[in-house]
Amino acid sequence: MPYYICDGIYYRRHGSYYYVCRPPFGVHFDHIVSDIALSACAIAFYFDRLNEYQAISENARIIISQNEAIAANNATLAAQNEMIAKNEARAAGNNRLADESYALASRMGLVQSYASASTEYFYDDGVFYVKASDGQYQTIAPPAGALVNELPDDYEVFTFDNDEYYLVDDSVYRTVVIEGKVYFEVLGQRNGGQNNISI
């Protein structure tokens, strides 16, 4: 799908109209414009294994390729294991949350992008960023397990298995309570119509 940009604002065309939209995954920014206030994003868990999905599309292949690289990165896993070892009780809760997230995303037909324990993630208004080695910021697919305090105003609510979930563009969120605080957790992304959810 073609995107258009004018004065730092992204658009997608639908019919004869152009609609304001979030930047697509992979866009690099030389600098973050003044009206974007990035905040560090907490991650509930990191996958220490490669989960397989049946969904097939170009976006899914890119995400799966990224996941393979992360799952194979021994340094990342070593850092993660060291962090987990510091708090066994929290580790058990994180593993349970990760397994639950994966199972739910699979039932919904979502694709999950994994988070790397050695990477810092940033969030603003439904868009996730990482800082590249050249100092630029790059938009990425929201990583599974990312926790945010609020959703953008344009989210949609849908029901799956009698529970409510939230949709921002193609990313699905649910509410979770961690250490007594309510967050919106990224579950995964819809995959080109190959999913089991309807709005």
Side-chain angles (χ1 to χ4, degrees):
M1 177 179 295
Y3 286 77
Y4 305 87
I5 184 170
C6 179
D7 294 332
I9 299 174
Y10 285 84
Y11 300 86
R12 291 196 313 196
R13 187 168 183 163
H14 183 72
S16 59
Y17 294 93
Y18 291 90
Y19 292 87
V20 174
C21 67
R22 294 177 178 85
F25 304 151
V27 170
H28 286 257
F29 295 89
D30 288 328
H31 59 277
I32 297 298
V33 294
S34 58
D35 61 339
I36 294 181
L38 290 184
S39 57
C41 179
I43 304 292
F45 52 79
Y46 301 94
F47 282 105
D48 59 0
R49 63 193 175 281
L50 177 61
N51 291 320
E52 297 290 345
Y53 290 84
Q54 300 303 314
I56 298 175
S57 74
E58 186 58 33
N59 284 342
R61 280 192 286 271
I62 292 171
I63 290 173
I64 288 169
S65 174
Q66 293 171 344
N67 291 343
E68 287 173 348
I70 290 173
N73 187 331
N74 291 333
T76 297
L77 297 182
Q80 170 191 331
N81 290 336
E82 180 182 349
M83 185 169 52
I84 286 175
K86 291 179 181 177
N87 189 334
E88 292 182 4
R90 185 172 182 183
N94 289 354
N95 291 340
R96 187 169 52 252
L97 191 62
D99 291 341
E100 182 184 316
S101 173
Y102 172 70
L104 181 55
S106 294
R107 289 202 318 272
M108 287 185 174
L110 306 178
V111 174
Q112 288 184 313
S113 175
Y114 305 161
S116 168
S118 61
T119 301
E120 188 174 13
Y121 295 87
F122 301 93
Y123 171 83
D124 181 74
D125 192 40
V127 182
F128 289 80
Y129 304 84
V130 292
K131 195 167 186 179
S133 58
D134 60 3
Q136 292 185 325
Y137 287 87
Q138 179 183 4
T139 59
I140 60 166
L147 302 172
V148 299
N149 295 318
E150 60 184 26
L151 296 178
D153 293 338
D154 61 341
Y155 71 84
E156 297 178 75
V157 179
F158 69 94
T159 302
F160 182 83
D161 285 351
N162 297 318
D163 291 318
E164 282 192 347
Y165 298 90
Y166 306 90
L167 185 69
V168 177
D169 295 334
D170 285 324
S171 297
V172 176
Y173 297 75
R174 67 172 175 171
T175 53
V176 293
V177 178
I178 298 177
E179 297 178 354
K181 187 172 180 181
V182 177
Y183 294 95
F184 295 98
E185 176 204 343
V186 174
L187 276 177
Q189 285 75 46
R190 293 194 299 179
N191 184 37
Q194 300 178 46
N195 57 77
N196 300 321
I197 63 176
S198 58
I199 305 300

